[in-house]
């Protein structure tokens, strides 16, 4: 991860960290999930804003949606898989079924 706000998603809020090697196992284990792709948080100030929003956004769902942070090394490969253009991004999934991106 890269900034204190993004690191807090894992350290304080308990988000899983996924990459190419384990994303399918993560998706299979959860009915609904949200993958957070922060992108280059040192360059994109929106990445920190998105991290703060995501932590708050997950609260009302009470565990119905399981969030995960995508590791930096896997972002580009998974970006091609889920076909979105801009970072930061929230990719919404139902198991391995792609629902959309914000």
């Amino acid at each position: 991860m890269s900034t204190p706000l993004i690191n807090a998603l894992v350290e304080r809020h308990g988000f899983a960290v996924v990459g190419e090697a384990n994303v399918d196992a993560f998706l299979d284990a959860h009915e609904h999930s949200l993958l957070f792709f922060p992108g280059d948080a040192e360059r994109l100030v929106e990445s920190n804003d998105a991290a703060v929003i995501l932590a708050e956004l997950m609260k009302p769902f009470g565990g119905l949606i399981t969030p995960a942070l995508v590791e930096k090394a896997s972002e580009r490969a998974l970006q091609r898989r889920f076909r979105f253009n801009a970072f930061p991004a929230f990719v919404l999934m139902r198991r391995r079924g792609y629902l959309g991106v914000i």
Side-chain angles (χ1 to χ4, degrees):
M1 306 337 92
S2 54
T3 69
L5 289 172
I6 292 172
N7 292 340
L9 294 175
V10 175
E11 296 164 4
R12 188 174 355 167
H13 300 288
F15 284 29
V17 177
V18 298
E20 278 185 280
N22 67 341
V23 69
D24 288 329
F26 175 82
L27 296 174
D28 289 342
H30 304 285
E31 179 70 23
H32 296 97
S33 57
L34 184 148
L35 304 177
F36 175 45
F37 291 76
D40 183 1
E42 299 298 325
R43 189 176 59 82
L44 300 168
V45 295
E46 299 89 351
S47 297
N48 284 315
D49 295 340
V52 171
I53 291 167
L54 181 57
E56 292 300 314
L57 183 64
M58 291 294 97
K59 290 179 183 178
F61 290 102
L64 295 174
I65 298 174
T66 305
L69 178 63
V70 176
E71 66 186 10
K72 188 151 196 70
S74 296
E75 279 188 323
R76 289 296 179 180
L78 293 175
Q79 177 191 25
R80 286 188 297 274
R81 176 176 169 181
F82 298 118
R83 299 180 186 205
F84 64 90
N85 296 322
F87 290 97
F90 300 141
V91 174
L92 301 159
M93 304 290 294
R94 180 178 297 129
R95 301 257 185 233
R96 290 192 195 189
Y98 174 81
L99 297 175
V101 64
I102 300 171

